[in-house]
Amino acid sequence: MTHAHNGNVTDLTSIDLVRERHVVALNAGDAGAWVAEFAEDGVQMPPHSPANIGKRAIDSWSRGFL
């Protein structure tokens, strides 16, 4: 896998793992696993909708979406 010139390999690998877990959860329709990847103060920005701020809001929206 080729990465941009900035950022270290450990950081980029960690980001790739979170992205991969998000994709697996989405494909499985597993809202709990999807939401687990967000920080407590995370912000989710769904298209054409207001931002979901915090894990509770992300969980509520995600369960309806998935």
Side-chain angles (χ1 to χ4, degrees), residues 3-4 6 8-9 15 25 28 34 37-40 42 49-51 54 61 64 66:
H3 293 291
N6 53 358
N8 68 47
V9 173
I15 292 166
W34 168 272
E37 295 304 314
F38 285 92
E40 288 300 323
S49 298
W61 183 90
L66 295 178

Side-chain angles (χ1 to χ4, degrees), residues 2 14 17 22 32 42 49 57:
T2 304
S14 295
L17 289 172
H22 258 195
S49 298

Side-chain angles (χ1 to χ4, degrees), residues 12-66:
L12 296 172
T13 299
S14 295
I15 292 166
D16 285 343
L17 289 172
V18 169
R19 181 187 47 77
E20 188 174 308
R21 289 190 301 255
H22 258 195
V23 169
V24 167
L26 178 63
N27 288 339
D30 187 344
W34 168 272
V35 173
E37 295 304 314
F38 285 92
E40 288 300 323
D41 62 349
V43 177
Q44 177 192 43
M45 305 212 32
H48 311 292
S49 298
N52 297 313
I53 302 171
K55 210 168 199 172
R56 178 183 268 165
I58 294 168
D59 183 66
S60 178
W61 183 90
S62 297
R63 290 188 185 280
F65 174 71
L66 295 178

